[in-house]
């Protein structure tokens, strides 16, 4: 089985000898979500008052400052999607979609399985995922990070532990929850906030011993 050429935290299952299924799904989701992300970013063109990292781009209107990061991201979304659409059109000899980001992304999505099988498929996926992730980070600069920790250490529980790492300014704490946790009085019993993670770590080590 060949190795997926894109970056992984651990070995990944490949698809058609080029990309892993995880990256293929990410590329597919990018095609679906780039249009709505592109339009949502239009509401973020003006930087919010004086935040660090907001770089104002010059405008013909002296009273209007634009967030340079958002302007560049929307431009990149257009360039990436239309450039790859032209590649598909030329190589497959098919009709071009209407020149809107929604139609172009729908076109790329319809041809994605074929595209990911081409020698340039990994770069195609990487470009789509890149602009999509950049757009999402601008819309939500402090997203919740969610990842799997391992098997729940509680007796006779077959659940999986899921960590939820929230931004520092979140009203909810970071926590690890079991996806099969019993519920008592409206609360999950297999749940650990950050102050209890050392205790949880000891339980997991005993489970692995």
């Amino acid at each position: 089985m060949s190795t997926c050429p894109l970056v992984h935290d651990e070995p990944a299952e490949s698809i058609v000898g080029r990309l892993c299924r995880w990256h293929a799904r990410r590329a597919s989701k990018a095609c679906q979500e780039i249009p709505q992300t592109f339009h949502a970013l239009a509401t973020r063109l003006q930087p919010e008052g004086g935040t660090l990292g907001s770089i104002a781009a010059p405008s013909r209107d002296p009273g209007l400052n634009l967030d340079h990061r958002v302007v560049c991201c929307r431009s990149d979304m257009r360039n990436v999607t239309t450039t790859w659409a032209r590649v598909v059109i030329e190589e497959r000899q098919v009709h071009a979609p209407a020149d809107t980001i929604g139609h172009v992304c729908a076109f790329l999505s319809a041809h994605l399985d074929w595209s990911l099988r081409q020698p340039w498929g990994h770069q195609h996926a990487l470009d789509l995922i890149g602009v999509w992730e950049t757009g999402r980070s601008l819309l939500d600069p402090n997203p919740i990070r969610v990842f799997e920790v391992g098997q729940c250490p509680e007796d006779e529980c077959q659940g999986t532990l899921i960590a939820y790492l929230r931004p520092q300014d979140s009203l909810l704490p970071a926590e690890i929850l079991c996806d099969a946790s019993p519920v008592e009085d409206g609360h999950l019993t297999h749940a650990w906030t950050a102050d209890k993670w050392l205790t949880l770590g000891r339980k997991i080590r005993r489970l692995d011993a």
Side-chain angles (χ1 to χ4, degrees), residues 68-80:
H68 183 63
R69 299 166 305 168
V70 176
V71 173
C72 287
C73 181
R74 295 180 87 238
S75 176
D76 288 345
M77 285 180 167
R78 285 287 297 173
N79 290 337
V80 164

Side-chain angles (χ1 to χ4, degrees), residues 34-125:
I34 283 174
Q36 66 193 57
T37 305
F38 177 85
H39 294 304
L41 285 170
T43 66
R44 305 291 180 90
L45 283 170
Q46 287 188 268
E48 297 178 2
T51 57
L52 290 176
S54 291
I55 305 172
S59 168
R60 292 180 181 177
D61 182 346
L64 178 63
N65 287 325
L66 300 180
D67 190 322
H68 183 63
R69 299 166 305 168
V70 176
V71 173
C72 287
C73 181
R74 295 180 87 238
S75 176
D76 288 345
M77 285 180 167
R78 285 287 297 173
N79 290 337
V80 164
T81 54
T82 55
T83 296
W84 282 114
R86 283 195 293 270
V87 171
V88 175
I89 292 164
E90 291 172 4
E91 295 210 8
R92 301 206 82 180
Q93 296 295 300
V94 292
H95 293 294
D99 188 22
T100 69
I101 196 163
H103 284 95
V104 171
C105 285
F107 173 85
L108 291 175
S109 184
H111 293 273
L112 189 62
D113 285 347
W114 175 85
S115 296
L116 296 184
R117 288 174 167 80
Q118 306 313 305
W120 39 262
H122 65 286
Q123 189 61 53
H124 179 48

Side-chain angles (χ1 to χ4, degrees), residues 1-208:
M1 180 166 55
S2 62
T3 303
C4 176
L6 303 186
V7 176
H8 291 272
D9 292 330
E10 57 188 42
E13 183 180 356
S14 67
I15 168 177
V16 299
R18 299 201 179 277
L19 290 185
C20 69
R21 289 191 175 90
W22 185 80
H23 273 112
R25 287 194 296 268
R26 297 279 289 174
S28 177
K29 191 170 184 181
C31 283
Q32 296 168 23
E33 294 190 0
I34 283 174
Q36 66 193 57
T37 305
F38 177 85
H39 294 304
L41 285 170
T43 66
R44 305 291 180 90
L45 283 170
Q46 287 188 268
E48 297 178 2
T51 57
L52 290 176
S54 291
I55 305 172
S59 168
R60 292 180 181 177
D61 182 346
L64 178 63
N65 287 325
L66 300 180
D67 190 322
H68 183 63
R69 299 166 305 168
V70 176
V71 173
C72 287
C73 181
R74 295 180 87 238
S75 176
D76 288 345
M77 285 180 167
R78 285 287 297 173
N79 290 337
V80 164
T81 54
T82 55
T83 296
W84 282 114
R86 283 195 293 270
V87 171
V88 175
I89 292 164
E90 291 172 4
E91 295 210 8
R92 301 206 82 180
Q93 296 295 300
V94 292
H95 293 294
D99 188 22
T100 69
I101 196 163
H103 284 95
V104 171
C105 285
F107 173 85
L108 291 175
S109 184
H111 293 273
L112 189 62
D113 285 347
W114 175 85
S115 296
L116 296 184
R117 288 174 167 80
Q118 306 313 305
W120 39 262
H122 65 286
Q123 189 61 53
H124 179 48
L126 194 62
D127 287 351
L128 291 173
I129 294 169
V131 294
W132 169 58
E133 288 183 338
T134 299
R136 291 200 314 166
S137 70
L138 290 171
L139 288 175
D140 186 4
N142 295 303
I144 297 175
R145 289 187 291 155
V146 181
F147 56 90
E148 183 176 315
V149 175
Q151 182 180 345
C152 180
E154 297 293 350
D155 293 340
E156 300 182 357
C157 183
Q158 300 300 314
T160 299
L161 297 178
I162 308 296
Y164 296 85
L165 301 184
R166 296 182 171 89
Q168 291 184 350
D169 58 355
S170 173
L171 296 178
L172 296 174
E175 57 188 343
I176 295 177
L177 306 176
C178 172
D179 62 2
S181 174
V183 178
E184 293 182 5
D185 298 326
H187 298 283
L188 298 174
T189 58
H190 298 180
W192 297 264
T193 50
D195 59 311
K196 299 176 181 177
W197 286 357
L198 284 176
T199 301
L200 173 61
R202 295 190 192 102
K203 288 186 175 183
I204 293 174
R205 284 194 292 273
R206 285 199 296 268
L207 182 67
D208 294 336

